[in-house]
Amino acid sequence: LKPRIKKEFETDPEVLARRPKQIDYGKATSNYLRYRSLVQKEDRTPEMPRTPDKYMKYNRRRWDGIVKSWKRGFHCFVSDRLDETESFDDIVKKENSLNESSDWAEEME
C-alpha cells in the first residue's frame, strides 16, 4: 500500500494570479474549442485531458509540466479524432450553440 499524501493548496497570491493566465492561453486555442465540441465535459473519461487545478500546491516546474501535458493531451486528442472535412467555422458554430451565454473573454473581465 502506498502512503497517503496530504493534499496541499496554493496560498501565494502571485502564483494564484499567474496560473489562470496559463490555463486561459490553452483554452484560447482552436484545438481546445475542437476538443470541447468533440467531447462534452460530463462525457470525459479519466484518461482524457482535464484542466489543471490551479489551487493545488505544485512547484513551478511541476505546474509547468502539468499545463504542458494538458495542452499536449487535447491537441493529440483532436488530431487523432478530427474529421478532416470539418472546418474551423463549423466547430465554432457548434461551440457557440452549446454555450451561447458563456464567453470565456467575458468571464475574465
Side-chain angles (χ1 to χ4, degrees), residues 11 33 41 63 75 100:
T11 58
L33 289 176
K41 192 173 190 176
W63 171 256
H75 286 297
E100 287 185 21

Side-chain angles (χ1 to χ4, degrees), residues 32-44:
Y32 187 77
L33 289 176
R34 288 182 182 125
Y35 176 64
R36 283 189 52 187
S37 71
L38 290 168
V39 184
Q40 294 302 306
K41 192 173 190 176
E42 57 274 359
D43 297 332
R44 295 179 193 164

Side-chain angles (χ1 to χ4, degrees), residues 2-62:
K2 290 184 180 180
R4 197 167 175 129
I5 299 173
K6 182 179 175 187
K7 291 184 179 182
E8 292 185 53
F9 296 96
E10 187 58 65
T11 58
D12 185 340
E14 288 181 25
V15 172
L16 291 171
R18 181 177 58 238
R19 288 181 176 180
K21 291 178 186 177
Q22 291 176 286
I23 291 170
D24 290 340
Y25 286 134
K27 288 185 174 185
T29 64
S30 60
N31 273 347
Y32 187 77
L33 289 176
R34 288 182 182 125
Y35 176 64
R36 283 189 52 187
S37 71
L38 290 168
V39 184
Q40 294 302 306
K41 192 173 190 176
E42 57 274 359
D43 297 332
R44 295 179 193 164
T45 63
E47 309 79 51
M48 292 179 174
R50 298 266 180 195
T51 304
D53 184 352
K54 66 183 178 184
Y55 297 107
M56 294 304 299
K57 181 91 169 171
Y58 299 110
N59 64 40
R60 178 72 181 259
R61 182 175 287 188
R62 179 72 179 127

